[in-house]
Amino acid sequence: MGVENVVIIGTGCAGLTAALYTARASLNPLIIEGDLAGGQLGTTTLVENYPGFPEGVDGPVLMENFREQALKFGARVERGLVTDVNTGSQPFQLTVDEEKTVESKTVIMSAGASPRYLGLE
């Protein structure tokens, strides 16, 4: 595998927006999708505060639209969990699933967050 131009870690709003813009710039970005495809919005039933949807929008539908638009312009998606990023070398070296190495000129980190539940009723 050759050196990637851009690797994006995360598939939430920020990651897929970065993928859209870098794909439109013909940079052929690779998105590495972790455990929570679509980010937290991918698990939210109704999003009422996203611009352009006065009645709200289903979170998974919104995130699938983001994904489709990024893919339309040439973004690529691979499933995996980035466990390490070596920024001390050029190109950067990412370890995916603790076994695969991906090299990239640019890394966009947009891993976001995942909910931490309190365990309360």
Side-chain angles (χ1 to χ4, degrees):
M1 182 177 196
V3 176
E4 299 286 344
N5 284 319
V6 178
V7 171
I8 300 165
I9 302 169
T11 56
C13 290
L16 291 173
T17 299
L20 171 62
Y21 281 95
T22 56
R24 285 181 46 91
S26 300
L27 294 173
N28 196 28
L30 172 63
I31 309 163
I32 300 180
E33 178 178 74
D35 294 338
L36 194 57
Q40 285 184 316
L41 275 184
T43 64
T44 303
T45 54
L46 180 62
V47 179
E48 295 180 300
N49 62 342
Y50 193 82
F53 296 92
E55 300 302 317
V57 61
D58 187 57
V61 170
L62 179 63
M63 296 317 301
E64 183 58 32
N65 288 344
F66 270 52
R67 181 187 184 102
E68 286 178 25
Q69 191 173 12
L71 294 176
K72 172 185 171 184
F73 290 102
R76 298 164 294 132
V77 178
E78 284 185 15
R79 296 236 350 123
L81 187 62
V82 176
T83 55
D84 187 55
V85 179
N86 180 354
T87 59
S89 67
Q90 192 58 267
F92 301 118
Q93 295 179 346
L94 293 81
T95 303
V96 180
D97 293 329
E98 297 185 16
E99 58 189 42
K100 178 181 175 184
T101 300
V102 176
E103 294 184 324
S104 183
K105 297 174 188 174
T106 305
V107 175
I108 298 174
M109 172 64 97
S110 57
S114 49
R116 292 189 321 188
Y117 298 102
L118 296 175
L120 303 174
E121 293 182 25

